[in-house]
């Protein structure tokens, strides 16, 4: 540093070289700063879970947080509008900070991905036995059985299990995905009476 200061106090070529060195160091520092600084303009918005969420949660604004991330880290179908997500039902568990995508919410996309069938439909049923509902998790395969032991549908896929809430006396609400041809029969039977399921 002392040699550089002495060079600056001189005249001629030595002083010119010293100035060039200072400019080169400054430009290098600027380049490093620009390279390491996050490029906020290139980041994308997405909604993540503000805290741990259980399956069947009806999303509210307090459940969601809008964050920015590099586009390469934003999954396909990630939601960006908290107002549009509010009131939607979460099909599976979501950990704090996990992106909320359209496939995680109850709807046609989630039903199709759960069953692998393009004509599948989601049907809510009420279970007569609260204990059976406690055994169910999203993705479980079950047969739906009427009180008279008639099998209403085989191989249904559990989409989500709702919390008891104020509907505890009416039976636990479970949403299952069924082939399109079986969905109307199960929906009609569930409206008339509570049903049960057997696990596969």
């Amino acid at each position: 540093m002392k040699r550089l200061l002495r060079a600056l106090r001189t005249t001629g070529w030595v002083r010119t070289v010293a100035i060039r060195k200072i400019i080169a160091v400054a430009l290098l520092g600027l380049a490093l700063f620009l390279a390491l600084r996050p490029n906020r303009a290139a980041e994308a918005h997405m909604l993540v879970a503000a805290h741990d969420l259980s399956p069947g949660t009806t999303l509210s604004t307090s459940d969601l947080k809008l964050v920015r991330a590099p586009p390469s880290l934003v999954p396909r179908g990630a939601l960006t509008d908290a107002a549009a997500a509010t009131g939607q039902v979460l099909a599976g568990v979501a950990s704090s900070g996990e992106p909320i995508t359209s496939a995680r919410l109850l709807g046609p996309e989630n039903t199709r991905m759960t069953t692998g069938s393009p004509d599948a439909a989601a049907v809510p049923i009420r279970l007569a036995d609260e204990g059976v509902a406690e055994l169910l998790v999203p993705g479980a395969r079950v047969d739906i059985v009427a009180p008279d032991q008639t099998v209403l549908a085989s191989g249904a896929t559990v989409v989500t299990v709702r919390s008891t809430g104020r509907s505890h006396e009416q039976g636990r609400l479970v949403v299952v995905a069924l082939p399109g041809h079986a969905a109307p029969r199960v929906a009609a039977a569930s409206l008339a009476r509570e049903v049960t399921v057997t696990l596969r």
Side-chain angles (χ1 to χ4, degrees), residues 145-152 193-196:
V145 184
D148 62 2
Q149 300 184 6
T150 301
V151 177
L152 300 173
R193 53 192 171 176
E194 295 175 346
V195 297
T196 190

Side-chain angles (χ1 to χ4, degrees), residues 150-166:
T150 301
V151 177
L152 300 173
S154 300
T157 304
V158 175
V159 176
T160 193
V161 181
R162 300 299 302 272
S163 58
T164 52
R166 289 177 292 183

Side-chain angles (χ1 to χ4, degrees), residues 2-191:
K2 291 182 179 180
R3 293 177 58 186
L4 183 61
L5 291 176
R6 285 199 300 270
L8 290 174
R9 286 194 289 267
T10 62
T11 59
W13 177 251
V14 174
R15 185 171 184 273
T16 301
V17 171
I19 293 174
R20 288 180 177 178
K21 287 183 178 180
I22 293 174
I23 293 175
V25 171
L27 290 176
L28 178 61
L30 178 61
L32 288 173
F33 171 75
L34 293 176
L36 298 176
R37 185 185 62 174
N39 187 358
R40 307 293 290 183
E43 292 180 337
H45 288 92
M46 67 175 174
L47 290 175
V48 301
H51 50 87
D52 292 344
L53 299 172
S54 59
T57 297
T58 300
L59 296 176
S60 65
T61 53
S62 62
D63 297 323
L64 304 167
K65 181 169 63 174
L66 189 65
V67 300
R68 300 171 68 112
S72 60
L73 298 181
V74 178
R76 185 179 66 85
L79 302 183
T80 59
D81 185 357
T86 299
Q88 300 284 340
V89 177
L90 189 67
V93 65
S95 301
S96 179
E98 187 173 345
I100 303 298
T101 65
S102 56
R104 303 296 306 278
L105 306 178
L106 287 186
E109 184 177 2
N110 176 267
T111 302
R112 176 180 54 80
M113 294 180 67
T114 300
T115 62
S117 174
D119 70 335
V123 178
I125 61 174
R126 290 203 179 274
L127 298 186
D129 189 342
E130 174 75 15
V132 173
E134 296 293 340
L135 301 175
L136 302 179
V137 295
R141 302 276 286 182
V142 298
D143 296 335
I144 302 171
V145 184
D148 62 2
Q149 300 184 6
T150 301
V151 177
L152 300 173
S154 300
T157 304
V158 175
V159 176
T160 193
V161 181
R162 300 299 302 272
S163 58
T164 52
R166 289 177 292 183
S167 61
H168 176 70
E169 296 80 5
Q170 303 175 22
R172 189 74 172 269
L173 184 65
V174 177
V175 180
V176 296
L178 293 164
H181 66 84
R185 179 172 67 254
V186 173
S190 182
L191 284 176

